[in-house]
């Protein structure tokens, strides 16, 4: 799904922020490309293929107002390709899934479609990697969807073929609803699956925390400017400069997180602090050969040369093989039972 060795994959989601205006969408696309995001994402649908026109005709009209033409989305994919940026889309119309098969590195399943198994099956039949957002769902539902994808094709068990994003489907959400600890729960419940976060908070804090928790894919909404915008998604959207700052910050966060293996750092070793900051054992006084040592016969002082202060128990009760001078560097071989 993402290139081997890449620490983080950033998706700039234009979604409906163009509000049905092709020229505005094109301008947003250009701005998103300049942000340094790895992928630019749209939502491809028509109102009548998304909403039941007999049950909810008003929402059909709403989505039709935000829909662009097929050829316009195809043009966007060409622009992305020309700029070496991935083109992505949540394809909400079954009839259009195959059309974009060769134009996207993977398919994104939005939170609302996480339980839409007929659409998921059609996407799985393309054998392209799948990324799932998990807004509205609980862990049992996520597991059910993941297992269904595995049933569709076992190839989705392979590394890099399936990704899961923690997400909360509201615009905007209070910080308490971000529930970023779910990132760890997903990692624990689905080992081997790429884990990420789709953000709907206001501000940049949540995505930074998500990266520190190990999110490999970050999806944020994109806008040119939040000021004066009425459509809800603009409130949770990043500008080009904010994505740039986040990408730079995420590199620093990942560098600071390290690999999780505890050992002396290179800076500690190169500075000599492993020796100079720690205490060694030294004779508290002059002692003659054959003296039997108690713990009180030693003093613990920096630097840790000779015998570490942690090894005092190994020397208590033993006798020295030679005369020892006060505060001289000693060795374990200087002692015998």
């Amino acid at each position: 799904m993402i290139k081997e060795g890449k620490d983080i994959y950033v998706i700039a989601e234009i979604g409906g922020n163009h509000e049905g205006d092709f020229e505005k969408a094109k301008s947003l696309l250009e701005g998103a490309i300049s942000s340094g995001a790895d992928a630019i994402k749209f939502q491809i649908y028509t109102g009548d293929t998304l909403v039941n026109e007999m049950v909810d005709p008003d929402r059909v009209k709403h989505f039709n107002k935000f829909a662009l033409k097929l050829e316009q989305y195809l043009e966007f994919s060409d622009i992305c390709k020309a700029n070496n940026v991935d083109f992505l889309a949540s394809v909400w119309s079954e009839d259009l899934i195959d059309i974009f098969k060769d134009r996207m590195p993977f398919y994104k399943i939005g939170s609302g479609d996480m339980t839409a198994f007929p659409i998921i099956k059609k996407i799985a039949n393309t054998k392209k990697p799948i990324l799932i957002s998990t807004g509205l769902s609980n862990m049992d539902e996520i597991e059910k969807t993941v297992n269904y994808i595995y049933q569709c094709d076992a190839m989705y068990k392979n590394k890099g073929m399936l990704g899961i994003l923690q997400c909360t489907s509201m615009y905007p959400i209070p910080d308490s609803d971000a529930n970023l600890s779910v990132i760890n729960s997903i990692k624990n419940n689905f080992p081997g699956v790429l884990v990420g976060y789709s953000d709907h908070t206001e501000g940049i804090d949540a995505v930074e925390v998500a990266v520190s928790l190990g999110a490999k894919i970050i999806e944020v909404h994109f806008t040119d400017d939040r000021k004066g915008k009425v459509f809800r998604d603009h409130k949770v959207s990043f500008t080009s400069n904010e994505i740039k700052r986040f990408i730079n910050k995420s590199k620093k966060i990942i560098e600071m997180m390290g690999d999780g293996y505890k050992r002396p750092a290179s800076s500690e070793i190169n500075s000599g602090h492993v020796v100079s900051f720690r205490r060694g054992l030294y004779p508290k006084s002059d002692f003659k050969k054959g003296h039997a040592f108690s713990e009180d016969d030693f003093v613990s002082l920096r630097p840790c040369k000779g015998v570490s202060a942690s090894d005092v128990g190994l020397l208590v009760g033993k006798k020295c093989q030679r005369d020892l001078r006060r505060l001289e560097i000693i060795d374990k071989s200087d002692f015998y039972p």
Side-chain angles (χ1 to χ4, degrees), residues 54 105 305:
M54 298 298 293
K305 291 192 174 182

Side-chain angles (χ1 to χ4, degrees), residues 260-324:
Y261 178 66
K262 182 59 181 173
R263 60 192 179 281
S266 298
S267 58
E268 293 176 314
I269 295 170
N270 295 336
S271 67
H273 289 169
V274 174
V275 173
S276 66
F277 277 25
R278 287 182 166 176
R279 296 178 187 243
L281 286 180
Y282 299 94
K284 189 177 287 185
S285 307
D286 293 339
F287 294 103
K288 293 294 185 180
K289 179 180 178 180
H291 176 78
F293 278 77
S294 68
E295 189 169 334
D296 290 338
D297 291 331
F298 296 104
V299 60
S300 300
L301 298 169
R302 296 182 180 184
C304 182
K305 291 192 174 182
V307 179
S308 170
S310 66
D311 289 332
V312 63
L314 300 178
L315 302 186
V316 170
K318 291 187 176 182
K319 299 177 181 179
C320 54
Q321 307 245 34
R322 60 179 178 85
D323 291 347
L324 298 179

Side-chain angles (χ1 to χ4, degrees), residues 117-179:
F117 283 10
I119 291 176
I120 291 175
K121 183 177 182 179
K122 189 157 187 176
I123 289 175
N125 287 341
T126 68
K127 299 187 181 297
K128 301 280 285 189
I130 295 174
L131 179 64
I132 309 168
S133 271
T134 59
L136 313 172
S137 64
N138 57 44
M139 199 61 72
D140 288 341
E141 289 174 321
I142 298 171
E143 184 174 2
K144 184 178 180 181
T145 295
V146 168
N147 287 335
Y148 180 75
I149 292 172
Y150 290 162
Q151 290 169 16
C152 288
D153 198 319
M155 68 177 290
Y156 284 101
K157 295 181 180 181
N158 296 336
K159 183 180 178 181
M161 288 300 295
L162 186 62
I164 301 174
L165 304 182
Q166 160 59 357
C167 179
T168 304
S169 296
M170 189 63 197
Y171 311 83
I173 60 171
D175 290 346
S176 58
D177 281 357
N179 202 5

Side-chain angles (χ1 to χ4, degrees), residues 138-275:
N138 57 44
M139 199 61 72
D140 288 341
E141 289 174 321
I142 298 171
E143 184 174 2
K144 184 178 180 181
T145 295
V146 168
N147 287 335
Y148 180 75
I149 292 172
Y150 290 162
Q151 290 169 16
C152 288
D153 198 319
M155 68 177 290
Y156 284 101
K157 295 181 180 181
N158 296 336
K159 183 180 178 181
M161 288 300 295
L162 186 62
I164 301 174
L165 304 182
Q166 160 59 357
C167 179
T168 304
S169 296
M170 189 63 197
Y171 311 83
I173 60 171
D175 290 346
S176 58
D177 281 357
N179 202 5
L180 293 171
S181 293
V182 172
I183 291 171
N184 287 328
S185 299
I186 293 173
K187 285 194 292 185
N188 292 334
N189 280 277
F190 306 98
V193 170
L194 280 167
V195 181
Y197 172 63
S198 177
D199 183 50
H200 292 148
T201 62
E202 294 184 74
I204 198 171
D205 295 342
V207 290
E208 292 180 358
V209 174
V211 171
S212 72
L213 289 171
K216 297 296 185 183
I217 303 173
I218 297 291
E219 180 178 296
V220 298
H221 284 255
F222 179 81
T223 187
D224 52 354
D225 193 346
R226 290 184 295 273
K227 294 178 181 178
K229 301 295 176 62
V230 176
F231 179 53
R232 64 181 189 184
D233 286 14
H234 291 287
K235 292 182 180 180
V236 302
S237 297
F238 283 49
T239 64
S240 180
N241 286 335
E242 287 169 338
I243 290 180
K244 288 176 183 177
R245 287 200 298 271
F246 163 63
I247 291 173
N248 288 332
K249 186 70 173 289
S250 69
K251 292 176 182 177
K252 186 174 183 179
I253 291 170
I254 291 168
E255 183 180 22
M256 293 171 71
M257 292 299 293
D259 60 10
Y261 178 66
K262 182 59 181 173
R263 60 192 179 281
S266 298
S267 58
E268 293 176 314
I269 295 170
N270 295 336
S271 67
H273 289 169
V274 174
V275 173

